[in-house]
Amino acid sequence: MIYAFENLMNMYSLVFADTQWCAVNEAVCRRLGISKRTLQSYRDTGKIPFSMIGHKCYYKQSDIQTMLERHYNAIPKKLWQE
């Protein structure tokens, strides 16, 4: 049993080596300013890449940042200066 657990931990360490991952859906939702259901929709439609291990979704920090940059809409100066 311990041997199987060690093998599983080694596999995870290979998968997550040299990459910053965010494993909590709530943190990703807060960062993107979206609901859990919207995040689910983004996963279903392929708008945000993720990896699933067990029943947890993992997102790369770089993918979250790319999503923010790609879909950021700045408020026009006219609206926020009035």
Side-chain angles (χ1 to χ4, degrees), residues 24-70:
V24 182
N25 285 331
E26 289 81 10
V28 175
C29 289
R30 271 192 308 266
R31 180 109 188 261
L32 294 176
I34 59 175
S35 69
K36 291 181 191 178
R37 182 63 189 109
T38 300
L39 182 60
Q40 175 68 49
S41 176
Y42 288 174
R43 287 194 309 262
D44 292 344
T45 59
K47 288 184 180 178
I48 189 165
F50 71 100
S51 295
M52 185 173 251
I53 298 177
H55 295 286
K56 280 193 172 184
C57 293
Y58 294 87
Y59 308 87
K60 287 183 185 177
Q61 294 287 348
S62 60
D63 290 337
I64 296 168
Q65 186 62 37
T66 300
M67 180 89 170
L68 282 170
E69 291 169 0
R70 188 178 304 147

